[in-house]
Amino acid sequence: PYQNNLNLDFLDEGKEYTATVYTDDSSLVTGTNVLIDLITVDSEFEMPINISPQKGMAIIFSEKLP
């Protein structure tokens, strides 16, 4: 598997974001086998990336509103 940390220092400093993380998970009993996680992050966060062979991952960052 591919493992690394994604440095989020490209996000605006002092703001919080919701990271919506989509990953392939063949253990799920769904039509798509996609796991969706919501994680609160900021520019100082290092997001762990773990991708199994022949699988994928997508991340959408949305600014959290006050």
Side-chain angles (χ1 to χ4, degrees), residues 44-65:
E44 297 178 14
F45 191 79
E46 286 199 15
M47 180 175 289
I49 303 294
N50 299 301
I51 304 173
S52 298
Q54 298 182 347
K55 302 293 181 184
M57 170 184 262
I59 306 171
I60 298 172
F61 296 99
S62 305
E63 186 177 343
K64 290 186 95 170
L65 300 176

Side-chain angles (χ1 to χ4, degrees), residues 2-65:
Y2 175 80
Q3 297 179 336
N4 206 339
N5 288 325
L6 176 61
N7 187 329
L8 301 183
D9 62 356
F10 58 88
L11 296 174
D12 291 336
E13 195 173 316
K15 294 183 179 180
E16 285 192 330
Y17 295 81
T18 298
T20 306
V21 182
Y22 301 86
T23 52
D24 290 322
D25 187 342
S26 57
S27 70
L28 294 175
V29 185
T30 65
T32 62
N33 298 95
V34 174
L35 176 66
I36 302 171
D37 284 316
L38 300 175
I39 304 169
T40 298
V41 298
D42 61 22
S43 64
E44 297 178 14
F45 191 79
E46 286 199 15
M47 180 175 289
I49 303 294
N50 299 301
I51 304 173
S52 298
Q54 298 182 347
K55 302 293 181 184
M57 170 184 262
I59 306 171
I60 298 172
F61 296 99
S62 305
E63 186 177 343
K64 290 186 95 170
L65 300 176

